[in-house]
Amino acid sequence: MINEQILVSILFSIVQISTPILLAMLGEIYAERSGILNLGLEGIMSIGAVSAFIVAIITNNAHLGIMIAIIAGALLALIHAFVTVSLNADQVISGLAIAMLGIGLSSLIGRNYVGKAFHGYLRSIPIPILSEIPIIGPAFFKQDIIVYFSYVLVVVLWFILYKTRWGLYIRATGENPHAADAAGINVYLVRYSCVVLGGALAGLGGAYITLVYMPTWFEGITMGKGWIAVALVILAMWDPLRGLLSAYF
């Protein structure tokens, strides 16, 4: 029989290693729901990881590093949105180009920071009462602020997608853009916003890796988590709630 402390440790680690995948996957669900496939998540996560780490090292401020990672991820995704939405180029080719660009650029930018450690990483914040629940409490409710944000984000994105008019616009755009356009929906705006959101969340996922999970930098630190996120979108059937279970699984 597994010791309770060991089980808690395993579950705690699962939550931490799954959080960057979950964040990237949630953004990709929205991008694909709008009709745009983004295979560049690995590169975007790499850029988020290195930019967050460098800024945090220089300023000794993890929160500023997170903000820069989100912006960097959004900007890289904006390139993909421009190429695929405005120029109507092949989504697969554009996504792969973004992946290679992000991976290569992150290696170049971070070459002087390889092996360095960041000691001001985000620390765990126990949630009163919930953190005292046996096994589940220490594993899920003694985490850091980004993990808690991912919990809330799952619910919020699910609600927006299925219970709001904007969510209806997103789903309509992805299923039949011509009909959506005829109905007065701004297809360009919907797709741009969803792809940029996906990039921002992938950048945040990268920041989580270098500021919380492994507070250091080395080439390839994302270890394929961006590719895993793309694959898990299908397993989750493009649903944020199922995405939570898929990521942890």
Side-chain angles (χ1 to χ4, degrees), residues 166-193:
W166 183 250
L168 179 61
Y169 289 170
I170 293 172
R171 287 181 284 127
T173 298
E175 291 170 8
N176 194 327
H178 298 294
D181 183 62
I185 298 173
N186 190 330
V187 174
Y188 279 60
L189 176 62
V190 171
R191 287 185 165 176
Y192 262 89
S193 60

PDB file of all heavy atoms in Angstrom, residues 166-193:
ATOM      1  N   TRP A 166     -20.011  35.540 -27.006  1.00  0.00           N
ATOM      2  CA  TRP A 166     -18.667  35.505 -27.590  1.00  0.00           C
ATOM      3  C   TRP A 166     -18.236  34.063 -27.859  1.00  0.00           C
ATOM      4  O   TRP A 166     -17.632  33.770 -28.886  1.00  0.00           O
ATOM      5  CB  TRP A 166     -17.682  36.205 -26.664  1.00  0.00           C
ATOM      6  CG  TRP A 166     -16.285  36.263 -27.233  1.00  0.00           C
ATOM      7  CD1 TRP A 166     -15.194  35.583 -26.804  1.00  0.00           C
ATOM      8  CD2 TRP A 166     -15.844  37.043 -28.347  1.00  0.00           C
ATOM      9  NE1 TRP A 166     -14.099  35.873 -27.575  1.00  0.00           N
ATOM     10  CE2 TRP A 166     -14.462  36.772 -28.529  1.00  0.00           C
ATOM     11  CE3 TRP A 166     -16.480  37.938 -29.213  1.00  0.00           C
ATOM     12  CZ2 TRP A 166     -13.709  37.376 -29.538  1.00  0.00           C
ATOM     13  CZ3 TRP A 166     -15.733  38.539 -30.216  1.00  0.00           C
ATOM     14  CH2 TRP A 166     -14.367  38.261 -30.371  1.00  0.00           C
ATOM     15  N   GLY A 167     -18.570  33.173 -26.944  1.00  0.00           N
ATOM     16  CA  GLY A 167     -18.262  31.762 -27.145  1.00  0.00           C
ATOM     17  C   GLY A 167     -18.991  31.194 -28.351  1.00  0.00           C
ATOM     18  O   GLY A 167     -18.442  30.384 -29.108  1.00  0.00           O
ATOM     19  N   LEU A 168     -20.220  31.632 -28.535  1.00  0.00           N
ATOM     20  CA  LEU A 168     -20.992  31.220 -29.709  1.00  0.00           C
ATOM     21  C   LEU A 168     -20.323  31.715 -30.991  1.00  0.00           C
ATOM     22  O   LEU A 168     -20.238  30.980 -31.985  1.00  0.00           O
ATOM     23  CB  LEU A 168     -22.420  31.758 -29.613  1.00  0.00           C
ATOM     24  CG  LEU A 168     -23.363  31.441 -30.785  1.00  0.00           C
ATOM     25  CD1 LEU A 168     -23.544  29.935 -30.938  1.00  0.00           C
ATOM     26  CD2 LEU A 168     -24.712  32.133 -30.585  1.00  0.00           C
ATOM     27  N   TYR A 169     -19.835  32.947 -30.949  1.00  0.00           N
ATOM     28  CA  TYR A 169     -19.135  33.502 -32.115  1.00  0.00           C
ATOM     29  C   TYR A 169     -17.889  32.659 -32.442  1.00  0.00           C
ATOM     30  O   TYR A 169     -17.601  32.382 -33.610  1.00  0.00           O
ATOM     31  CB  TYR A 169     -18.699  34.938 -31.833  1.00  0.00           C
ATOM     32  CG  TYR A 169     -19.822  35.943 -31.777  1.00  0.00           C
ATOM     33  CD1 TYR A 169     -19.592  37.245 -31.330  1.00  0.00           C
ATOM     34  CD2 TYR A 169     -21.117  35.612 -32.161  1.00  0.00           C
ATOM     35  CE1 TYR A 169     -20.615  38.184 -31.276  1.00  0.00           C
ATOM     36  CE2 TYR A 169     -22.147  36.533 -32.102  1.00  0.00           C
ATOM     37  CZ  TYR A 169     -21.889  37.821 -31.655  1.00  0.00           C
ATOM     38  OH  TYR A 169     -22.915  38.739 -31.595  1.00  0.00           O
ATOM     39  N   ILE A 170     -17.150  32.277 -31.394  1.00  0.00           N
ATOM     40  CA  ILE A 170     -15.931  31.485 -31.590  1.00  0.00           C
ATOM     41  C   ILE A 170     -16.259  30.149 -32.241  1.00  0.00           C
ATOM     42  O   ILE A 170     -15.628  29.735 -33.219  1.00  0.00           O
ATOM     43  CB  ILE A 170     -15.208  31.262 -30.244  1.00  0.00           C
ATOM     44  CG1 ILE A 170     -14.670  32.585 -29.709  1.00  0.00           C
ATOM     45  CG2 ILE A 170     -14.067  30.247 -30.400  1.00  0.00           C
ATOM     46  CD1 ILE A 170     -14.124  32.492 -28.294  1.00  0.00           C
ATOM     47  N   ARG A 171     -17.276  29.462 -31.694  1.00  0.00           N
ATOM     48  CA  ARG A 171     -17.631  28.152 -32.220  1.00  0.00           C
ATOM     49  C   ARG A 171     -18.188  28.250 -33.641  1.00  0.00           C
ATOM     50  O   ARG A 171     -17.895  27.416 -34.495  1.00  0.00           O
ATOM     51  CB  ARG A 171     -18.638  27.482 -31.286  1.00  0.00           C
ATOM     52  CG  ARG A 171     -18.002  26.999 -29.981  1.00  0.00           C
ATOM     53  CD  ARG A 171     -18.989  26.307 -29.065  1.00  0.00           C
ATOM     54  NE  ARG A 171     -19.863  27.263 -28.385  1.00  0.00           N
ATOM     55  CZ  ARG A 171     -21.180  27.213 -28.379  1.00  0.00           C
ATOM     56  NH1 ARG A 171     -21.808  26.260 -29.041  1.00  0.00           N
ATOM     57  NH2 ARG A 171     -21.887  28.106 -27.706  1.00  0.00           N
ATOM     58  N   ALA A 172     -18.974  29.287 -33.891  1.00  0.00           N
ATOM     59  CA  ALA A 172     -19.537  29.482 -35.234  1.00  0.00           C
ATOM     60  C   ALA A 172     -18.438  29.784 -36.250  1.00  0.00           C
ATOM     61  O   ALA A 172     -18.453  29.272 -37.378  1.00  0.00           O
ATOM     62  CB  ALA A 172     -20.546  30.629 -35.210  1.00  0.00           C
ATOM     63  N   THR A 173     -17.464  30.570 -35.837  1.00  0.00           N
ATOM     64  CA  THR A 173     -16.357  30.921 -36.720  1.00  0.00           C
ATOM     65  C   THR A 173     -15.541  29.690 -37.086  1.00  0.00           C
ATOM     66  O   THR A 173     -15.111  29.527 -38.241  1.00  0.00           O
ATOM     67  CB  THR A 173     -15.444  31.972 -36.049  1.00  0.00           C
ATOM     68  OG1 THR A 173     -16.200  33.163 -35.801  1.00  0.00           O
ATOM     69  CG2 THR A 173     -14.246  32.300 -36.914  1.00  0.00           C
ATOM     70  N   GLY A 174     -15.319  28.829 -36.113  1.00  0.00           N
ATOM     71  CA  GLY A 174     -14.539  27.627 -36.371  1.00  0.00           C
ATOM     72  C   GLY A 174     -15.274  26.615 -37.214  1.00  0.00           C
ATOM     73  O   GLY A 174     -14.674  25.938 -38.063  1.00  0.00           O
ATOM     74  N   GLU A 175     -16.591  26.513 -37.036  1.00  0.00           N
ATOM     75  CA  GLU A 175     -17.362  25.506 -37.748  1.00  0.00           C
ATOM     76  C   GLU A 175     -17.705  25.932 -39.172  1.00  0.00           C
ATOM     77  O   GLU A 175     -17.666  25.119 -40.094  1.00  0.00           O
ATOM     78  CB  GLU A 175     -18.641  25.206 -36.953  1.00  0.00           C
ATOM     79  CG  GLU A 175     -18.372  24.485 -35.630  1.00  0.00           C
ATOM     80  CD  GLU A 175     -19.608  24.409 -34.749  1.00  0.00           C
ATOM     81  OE1 GLU A 175     -20.706  24.776 -35.247  1.00  0.00           O
ATOM     82  OE2 GLU A 175     -19.490  24.011 -33.579  1.00  0.00           O
ATOM     83  N   ASN A 176     -18.049  27.208 -39.345  1.00  0.00           N
ATOM     84  CA  ASN A 176     -18.407  27.693 -40.681  1.00  0.00           C
ATOM     85  C   ASN A 176     -18.137  29.196 -40.764  1.00  0.00           C
ATOM     86  O   ASN A 176     -19.027  30.002 -40.518  1.00  0.00           O
ATOM     87  CB  ASN A 176     -19.884  27.403 -40.977  1.00  0.00           C
ATOM     88  CG  ASN A 176     -20.213  27.567 -42.455  1.00  0.00           C
ATOM     89  OD1 ASN A 176     -19.648  28.406 -43.149  1.00  0.00           O
ATOM     90  ND2 ASN A 176     -21.147  26.753 -42.948  1.00  0.00           N
ATOM     91  N   PRO A 177     -16.914  29.566 -41.109  1.00  0.00           N
ATOM     92  CA  PRO A 177     -16.556  30.991 -41.122  1.00  0.00           C
ATOM     93  C   PRO A 177     -17.374  31.822 -42.108  1.00  0.00           C
ATOM     94  O   PRO A 177     -17.653  32.997 -41.849  1.00  0.00           O
ATOM     95  CB  PRO A 177     -15.072  30.982 -41.496  1.00  0.00           C
ATOM     96  CG  PRO A 177     -14.842  29.654 -42.145  1.00  0.00           C
ATOM     97  CD  PRO A 177     -15.785  28.705 -41.473  1.00  0.00           C
ATOM     98  N   HIS A 178     -17.759  31.234 -43.237  1.00  0.00           N
ATOM     99  CA  HIS A 178     -18.531  31.977 -44.229  1.00  0.00           C
ATOM    100  C   HIS A 178     -19.926  32.296 -43.700  1.00  0.00           C
ATOM    101  O   HIS A 178     -20.423  33.424 -43.877  1.00  0.00           O
ATOM    102  CB  HIS A 178     -18.630  31.170 -45.529  1.00  0.00           C
ATOM    103  CG  HIS A 178     -17.298  30.911 -46.165  1.00  0.00           C
ATOM    104  ND1 HIS A 178     -16.509  31.912 -46.677  1.00  0.00           N
ATOM    105  CD2 HIS A 178     -16.610  29.747 -46.368  1.00  0.00           C
ATOM    106  CE1 HIS A 178     -15.397  31.394 -47.169  1.00  0.00           C
ATOM    107  NE2 HIS A 178     -15.426  30.075 -46.991  1.00  0.00           N
ATOM    108  N   ALA A 179     -20.556  31.337 -43.038  1.00  0.00           N
ATOM    109  CA  ALA A 179     -21.873  31.576 -42.448  1.00  0.00           C
ATOM    110  C   ALA A 179     -21.770  32.579 -41.308  1.00  0.00           C
ATOM    111  O   ALA A 179     -22.649  33.435 -41.130  1.00  0.00           O
ATOM    112  CB  ALA A 179     -22.458  30.258 -41.933  1.00  0.00           C
ATOM    113  N   ALA A 180     -20.696  32.474 -40.515  1.00  0.00           N
ATOM    114  CA  ALA A 180     -20.486  33.412 -39.416  1.00  0.00           C
ATOM    115  C   ALA A 180     -20.315  34.831 -39.947  1.00  0.00           C
ATOM    116  O   ALA A 180     -20.875  35.786 -39.395  1.00  0.00           O
ATOM    117  CB  ALA A 180     -19.254  32.996 -38.600  1.00  0.00           C
ATOM    118  N   ASP A 181     -19.553  34.949 -41.024  1.00  0.00           N
ATOM    119  CA  ASP A 181     -19.349  36.269 -41.633  1.00  0.00           C
ATOM    120  C   ASP A 181     -20.656  36.830 -42.172  1.00  0.00           C
ATOM    121  O   ASP A 181     -20.951  38.020 -42.024  1.00  0.00           O
ATOM    122  CB  ASP A 181     -18.314  36.152 -42.753  1.00  0.00           C
ATOM    123  CG  ASP A 181     -17.999  37.487 -43.390  1.00  0.00           C
ATOM    124  OD1 ASP A 181     -17.496  38.385 -42.681  1.00  0.00           O
ATOM    125  OD2 ASP A 181     -18.260  37.647 -44.605  1.00  0.00           O
ATOM    126  N   ALA A 182     -21.452  35.965 -42.771  1.00  0.00           N
ATOM    127  CA  ALA A 182     -22.754  36.396 -43.296  1.00  0.00           C
ATOM    128  C   ALA A 182     -23.692  36.839 -42.177  1.00  0.00           C
ATOM    129  O   ALA A 182     -24.560  37.687 -42.384  1.00  0.00           O
ATOM    130  CB  ALA A 182     -23.386  35.262 -44.094  1.00  0.00           C
ATOM    131  N   ALA A 183     -23.494  36.260 -40.987  1.00  0.00           N
ATOM    132  CA  ALA A 183     -24.330  36.611 -39.834  1.00  0.00           C
ATOM    133  C   ALA A 183     -23.838  37.870 -39.127  1.00  0.00           C
ATOM    134  O   ALA A 183     -24.421  38.285 -38.121  1.00  0.00           O
ATOM    135  CB  ALA A 183     -24.360  35.449 -38.851  1.00  0.00           C
ATOM    136  N   GLY A 184     -22.764  38.458 -39.646  1.00  0.00           N
ATOM    137  CA  GLY A 184     -22.270  39.708 -39.076  1.00  0.00           C
ATOM    138  C   GLY A 184     -21.162  39.549 -38.047  1.00  0.00           C
ATOM    139  O   GLY A 184     -20.772  40.524 -37.391  1.00  0.00           O
ATOM    140  N   ILE A 185     -20.635  38.338 -37.901  1.00  0.00           N
ATOM    141  CA  ILE A 185     -19.544  38.096 -36.956  1.00  0.00           C
ATOM    142  C   ILE A 185     -18.216  38.496 -37.608  1.00  0.00           C
ATOM    143  O   ILE A 185     -17.963  38.135 -38.757  1.00  0.00           O
ATOM    144  CB  ILE A 185     -19.495  36.611 -36.537  1.00  0.00           C
ATOM    145  CG1 ILE A 185     -20.791  36.228 -35.826  1.00  0.00           C
ATOM    146  CG2 ILE A 185     -18.299  36.337 -35.640  1.00  0.00           C
ATOM    147  CD1 ILE A 185     -20.915  34.734 -35.527  1.00  0.00           C
ATOM    148  N   ASN A 186     -17.404  39.221 -36.873  1.00  0.00           N
ATOM    149  CA  ASN A 186     -16.090  39.623 -37.376  1.00  0.00           C
ATOM    150  C   ASN A 186     -15.132  38.440 -37.246  1.00  0.00           C
ATOM    151  O   ASN A 186     -14.514  38.231 -36.205  1.00  0.00           O
ATOM    152  CB  ASN A 186     -15.568  40.829 -36.595  1.00  0.00           C
ATOM    153  CG  ASN A 186     -14.317  41.437 -37.233  1.00  0.00           C
ATOM    154  OD1 ASN A 186     -13.530  40.742 -37.866  1.00  0.00           O
ATOM    155  ND2 ASN A 186     -14.143  42.735 -37.048  1.00  0.00           N
ATOM    156  N   VAL A 187     -15.031  37.652 -38.299  1.00  0.00           N
ATOM    157  CA  VAL A 187     -14.218  36.431 -38.278  1.00  0.00           C
ATOM    158  C   VAL A 187     -12.756  36.747 -37.987  1.00  0.00           C
ATOM    159  O   VAL A 187     -12.087  36.040 -37.229  1.00  0.00           O
ATOM    160  CB  VAL A 187     -14.353  35.668 -39.610  1.00  0.00           C
ATOM    161  CG1 VAL A 187     -13.396  34.477 -39.653  1.00  0.00           C
ATOM    162  CG2 VAL A 187     -15.793  35.195 -39.803  1.00  0.00           C
ATOM    163  N   TYR A 188     -12.248  37.806 -38.572  1.00  0.00           N
ATOM    164  CA  TYR A 188     -10.842  38.189 -38.366  1.00  0.00           C
ATOM    165  C   TYR A 188     -10.582  38.493 -36.895  1.00  0.00           C
ATOM    166  O   TYR A 188      -9.587  38.040 -36.314  1.00  0.00           O
ATOM    167  CB  TYR A 188     -10.486  39.405 -39.216  1.00  0.00           C
ATOM    168  CG  TYR A 188     -10.161  39.076 -40.653  1.00  0.00           C
ATOM    169  CD1 TYR A 188     -11.087  38.457 -41.489  1.00  0.00           C
ATOM    170  CD2 TYR A 188      -8.911  39.374 -41.187  1.00  0.00           C
ATOM    171  CE1 TYR A 188     -10.795  38.148 -42.798  1.00  0.00           C
ATOM    172  CE2 TYR A 188      -8.594  39.074 -42.504  1.00  0.00           C
ATOM    173  CZ  TYR A 188      -9.548  38.467 -43.310  1.00  0.00           C
ATOM    174  OH  TYR A 188      -9.243  38.157 -44.610  1.00  0.00           O
ATOM    175  N   LEU A 189     -11.464  39.283 -36.291  1.00  0.00           N
ATOM    176  CA  LEU A 189     -11.294  39.655 -34.888  1.00  0.00           C
ATOM    177  C   LEU A 189     -11.343  38.432 -33.983  1.00  0.00           C
ATOM    178  O   LEU A 189     -10.521  38.286 -33.066  1.00  0.00           O
ATOM    179  CB  LEU A 189     -12.387  40.644 -34.465  1.00  0.00           C
ATOM    180  CG  LEU A 189     -12.383  41.058 -32.991  1.00  0.00           C
ATOM    181  CD1 LEU A 189     -11.085  41.765 -32.625  1.00  0.00           C
ATOM    182  CD2 LEU A 189     -13.594  41.946 -32.682  1.00  0.00           C
ATOM    183  N   VAL A 190     -12.290  37.542 -34.232  1.00  0.00           N
ATOM    184  CA  VAL A 190     -12.434  36.335 -33.418  1.00  0.00           C
ATOM    185  C   VAL A 190     -11.180  35.474 -33.502  1.00  0.00           C
ATOM    186  O   VAL A 190     -10.631  35.032 -32.487  1.00  0.00           O
ATOM    187  CB  VAL A 190     -13.674  35.520 -33.846  1.00  0.00           C
ATOM    188  CG1 VAL A 190     -13.690  34.164 -33.158  1.00  0.00           C
ATOM    189  CG2 VAL A 190     -14.954  36.289 -33.520  1.00  0.00           C
ATOM    190  N   ARG A 191     -10.702  35.250 -34.704  1.00  0.00           N
ATOM    191  CA  ARG A 191      -9.543  34.372 -34.885  1.00  0.00           C
ATOM    192  C   ARG A 191      -8.267  35.004 -34.342  1.00  0.00           C
ATOM    193  O   ARG A 191      -7.452  34.338 -33.712  1.00  0.00           O
ATOM    194  CB  ARG A 191      -9.400  34.005 -36.368  1.00  0.00           C
ATOM    195  CG  ARG A 191     -10.474  33.028 -36.811  1.00  0.00           C
ATOM    196  CD  ARG A 191     -10.296  32.558 -38.237  1.00  0.00           C
ATOM    197  NE  ARG A 191     -11.125  31.376 -38.488  1.00  0.00           N
ATOM    198  CZ  ARG A 191     -11.245  30.774 -39.660  1.00  0.00           C
ATOM    199  NH1 ARG A 191     -10.578  31.243 -40.710  1.00  0.00           N
ATOM    200  NH2 ARG A 191     -12.008  29.701 -39.793  1.00  0.00           N
ATOM    201  N   TYR A 192      -8.090  36.281 -34.588  1.00  0.00           N
ATOM    202  CA  TYR A 192      -6.909  36.960 -34.049  1.00  0.00           C
ATOM    203  C   TYR A 192      -6.893  36.886 -32.525  1.00  0.00           C
ATOM    204  O   TYR A 192      -5.867  36.569 -31.910  1.00  0.00           O
ATOM    205  CB  TYR A 192      -6.891  38.425 -34.484  1.00  0.00           C
ATOM    206  CG  TYR A 192      -6.018  38.708 -35.677  1.00  0.00           C
ATOM    207  CD1 TYR A 192      -6.528  38.628 -36.970  1.00  0.00           C
ATOM    208  CD2 TYR A 192      -4.687  39.072 -35.526  1.00  0.00           C
ATOM    209  CE1 TYR A 192      -5.739  38.897 -38.080  1.00  0.00           C
ATOM    210  CE2 TYR A 192      -3.880  39.338 -36.624  1.00  0.00           C
ATOM    211  CZ  TYR A 192      -4.411  39.253 -37.902  1.00  0.00           C
ATOM    212  OH  TYR A 192      -3.608  39.505 -38.992  1.00  0.00           O
ATOM    213  N   SER A 193      -8.022  37.179 -31.896  1.00  0.00           N
ATOM    214  CA  SER A 193      -8.078  37.202 -30.432  1.00  0.00           C
ATOM    215  C   SER A 193      -7.826  35.817 -29.846  1.00  0.00           C
ATOM    216  O   SER A 193      -7.116  35.674 -28.840  1.00  0.00           O
ATOM    217  CB  SER A 193      -9.427  37.742 -29.954  1.00  0.00           C
ATOM    218  OG  SER A 193     -10.492  36.941 -30.427  1.00  0.00           O
TER     219      SER A 193
END
